[in-house]
Amino acid sequence: MTGPCFIFFFPLLNLLPFFQTLEASHCSIKGLPLVRNIADLPQDNYGRGGLSHITVAGSLLHGLKEVEVWLQTFAPGSRTPIHRHSCEEVFVVLKGSGTLYLASSSNKYPGKPEEHFIFSNSTFHIPVNDVHQVWNTNEHEDLQMLVIISRPPIKVFIYEDWSMPHTAAKLKFPYYWDEQCFQVAQKDEL
């Protein structure tokens, strides 16, 4: 009788990854397969037209403690806000081109930023608390980047312009893609 039972249950084994994914909550690693297809991960623009954000590996979504990895795509003309954060950030440009605007946090306000051309296969890092903005200035192609941050979840200070004092920057925490899963208030390091 083991033959017919095996024949009946064997096809159900193929559904195991499906059931594991169903068991996994959007905010829990329980039931998530170790290897995942990026195309199957949640994607959103969080109310920012021209943005596609995917948390590939995150602190709140996947239980990471030291780093977080995002895949972000910016349509032509779209950009990040002018901002800073109390963590290091590394970018790998996968496709497209654009401009990085970077200003030091050593003065009372960011001031005129340096402009850096970014392009496919380039990489750059943002030091802790340096004010920056990434802008897809290419009119014909999306800008897609892999972004790695330290010390997640990220605490972002947003500026209205480059002359806004650092003390007036508005804290956004938890950040948009962490809001749904954030549960415990954490003290800001700044």
Side-chain angles (χ1 to χ4, degrees):
M1 193 61 125
T2 58
C5 290
F6 179 75
I7 291 170
F8 176 74
F9 288 110
F10 182 71
L12 293 178
L13 292 176
N14 292 328
L15 295 175
L16 187 58
F18 173 75
F19 290 124
Q20 288 175 331
T21 303
L22 278 181
E23 182 182 297
S25 159
H26 176 69
C27 298
S28 168
I29 60 172
K30 184 180 179 194
L32 278 178
L34 178 63
V35 178
R36 298 174 297 279
N37 184 334
I38 290 174
D40 295 337
L41 297 176
Q43 174 182 329
D44 201 335
N45 70 2
Y46 299 94
R48 288 176 36 198
L51 169 69
S52 167
H53 173 92
I54 298 172
T55 298
V56 176
S59 62
L60 298 178
L61 290 175
H62 307 108
L64 297 182
K65 305 278 187 251
E66 303 295 328
V67 297
E68 193 158 287
V69 180
W70 309 327
L71 179 62
Q72 293 186 324
T73 305
F74 293 87
S78 62
R79 61 189 180 273
T80 66
I82 300 169
H83 68 286
R84 68 175 167 87
H85 31 72
S86 56
C87 65
E88 296 168 311
E89 187 172 31
V90 176
F91 291 79
V92 178
V93 181
L94 302 175
K95 72 175 192 176
S97 61
T99 305
L100 163 67
Y101 298 94
L102 181 65
S104 171
S105 61
S106 60
N107 300 317
K108 293 184 181 198
Y109 59 91
K112 181 173 173 45
E114 298 174 359
E115 293 184 29
H116 301 273
F117 178 67
I118 58 175
F119 50 91
S120 184
N121 293 321
S122 65
T123 185
F124 57 95
H125 73 278
I126 306 296
V128 173
N129 282 322
D130 276 5
V131 182
H132 59 286
Q133 180 180 46
V134 175
W135 196 320
N136 181 354
T137 50
N138 183 327
E139 297 177 5
H140 307 289
E141 185 178 17
D142 286 349
L143 172 63
Q144 186 175 60
M145 300 177 292
L146 197 62
V147 183
I148 301 98
I149 64 157
S150 64
R151 301 168 56 188
I154 193 166
K155 298 167 188 74
V156 178
F157 291 84
I158 300 173
Y159 294 74
E160 293 174 9
D161 57 46
W162 295 97
S163 62
M164 184 178 201
H166 295 300
T167 55
K170 306 232 181 329
L171 173 64
K172 176 62 179 144
F173 181 75
Y175 206 60
Y176 299 103
W177 37 82
D178 291 330
E179 285 178 333
Q180 186 178 4
C181 300
F182 187 76
Q183 295 175 3
V184 180
Q186 296 181 358
K187 184 179 178 189
D188 184 25
E189 289 88 17
L190 292 178

